[in-house]
Amino acid sequence: MAKTIVVKQIGSPIRRPQDQRATLIGLGLNKMHKTRELEDTPSVRGMIAKIPHMVEIIEERD
């Protein structure tokens, strides 16, 4: 089974650059305090690293 991570949106995309909004949508987040369970891949980690002020990793699962 693939490793997964649980990500929570903690910041609002209001008054943020368009590419940061697009990154949130790419992660499947678009509303405050929404959580998603995503596959732990380098591309997902890169998207999270691009917007660390707007998302939080809650849990890493095996």
Side-chain angles (χ1 to χ4, degrees):
M1 188 167 137
K3 293 178 84 174
T4 60
I5 54 176
V6 179
V7 181
K8 179 179 180 180
Q9 181 179 344
I10 59 170
S12 173
I14 295 173
R15 295 184 56 105
R16 300 286 183 188
Q18 186 62 34
D19 63 328
Q20 291 183 6
R21 289 177 182 233
T23 303
L24 270 179
I25 293 169
L27 288 171
L29 301 169
N30 61 354
K31 294 183 181 175
M32 292 290 293
H33 310 293
K34 187 174 178 182
T35 60
R36 283 290 309 255
E37 185 172 346
L38 302 167
E39 191 172 337
D40 191 5
T41 62
S43 61
V44 170
R45 288 285 182 166
M47 293 170 81
I48 293 169
K50 188 175 178 182
I51 53 171
H53 55 287
M54 296 173 68
V55 296
E56 174 181 60
I57 297 175
I58 296 181
E59 185 180 352
E60 297 185 21
R61 300 179 183 166
D62 288 331

